[in-house]
């Protein structure tokens, strides 16, 4: 069983996001836990700046999100993903999306930008448990 510490951020009065710190290719990233997201995703601009050789392909499946369904999704295999002591040499089929609208909102709320959203693909595959009392994310390999 793996675990990592949660950080609860109050964006506005009564509005919270749950974050963890992770690493991609040795760089620390801020990750939002989103149990409503069907698939984990990473900011396209951040991924391309961090990993300029990253090979991507256009995702042609159904895409929809809280902002609607008019956005481009690319897919890539992202190397060296770490969450606490958990390590994936390759996070396969990571969705890449434009996070600019998310990070503009974060900046307006005086928060640091995020680089990734951890979604249900991860939570289900790794039998994750979010413990808000202890502020810990527990999960299996």
């Amino acid at each position: 069983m793996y675990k990592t510490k949660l950080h609860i951020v109050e964006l506005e009065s009564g509005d919270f996001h749950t974050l963890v710190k992770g690493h991609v290719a040795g760089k620390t990233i801020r990750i939002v836990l989103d149990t409503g997201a069907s698939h984990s995703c990473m900011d396209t601009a951040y991924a391309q700046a961090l990993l300029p050789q990253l090979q991507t392909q256009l995702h042609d499946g159904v895409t929809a999100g809280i902002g609607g369904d008019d956005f481009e999704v690319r897919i890539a295999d992202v190397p060296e993903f770490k969450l606490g002591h958990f390590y994936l040499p390759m996070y396969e089929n990571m969705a890449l999306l434009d996070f600019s609208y998310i990070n503009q909102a974060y900046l307006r709320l005086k928060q640091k930008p995020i680089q990734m959203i951890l979604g249900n693909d991860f939570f289900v595959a790794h039998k994750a448990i979010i413990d808000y009392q202890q502020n810990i994310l527990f999960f299996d390999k």
Side-chain angles (χ1 to χ4, degrees):
M1 176 80 53
Y2 292 92
K3 65 181 179 179
T4 191
K5 185 170 177 51
L6 302 177
H7 305 278
I8 309 300
V9 175
E10 187 168 19
L11 300 174
E12 295 180 295
S13 181
D15 292 336
F16 302 93
H17 274 184
T18 305
L19 289 91
V20 294
K21 287 185 181 175
H23 294 86
V24 169
K27 298 287 185 184
T28 302
I29 60 171
R30 289 171 41 93
I31 304 169
V32 170
L33 302 185
D34 187 349
T35 60
S38 59
H39 200 84
S40 298
C41 53
M42 184 173 226
D43 179 46
T44 302
Y46 183 82
Q48 290 174 337
L50 178 63
L51 305 161
Q53 311 304 329
L54 191 65
Q55 299 292 314
T56 70
Q57 60 186 19
L58 191 60
H59 176 66
D60 60 359
V62 175
T63 56
I66 196 122
D69 61 2
D70 186 24
F71 54 92
E72 180 179 279
V73 178
R74 300 196 71 77
I75 300 292
D77 295 338
V78 175
E80 302 178 32
F81 175 71
K82 285 183 72 175
L83 192 57
H85 293 292
F86 175 78
Y87 175 74
L88 280 176
M90 190 70 66
Y91 198 125
E92 296 179 358
N93 298 313
M94 174 73 69
L96 301 179
L97 305 172
D98 179 3
F99 279 21
S100 60
Y101 68 97
I102 296 169
N103 284 325
Q104 287 171 3
Y106 263 67
L107 292 172
R108 279 195 307 274
L109 297 168
K110 301 189 183 345
Q111 298 292 325
K112 294 178 186 173
I114 62 166
Q115 292 78 40
M116 185 175 171
I117 295 172
L118 205 58
N120 273 320
D121 60 323
F122 182 88
F123 301 135
V124 170
H126 300 284
K127 300 173 183 70
I129 299 169
I130 301 171
D131 184 332
Y132 287 103
Q133 187 170 359
Q134 296 183 63
N135 282 338
I136 296 176
L137 172 67
F138 295 96
F139 56 98
D140 286 334
K141 186 157 177 125

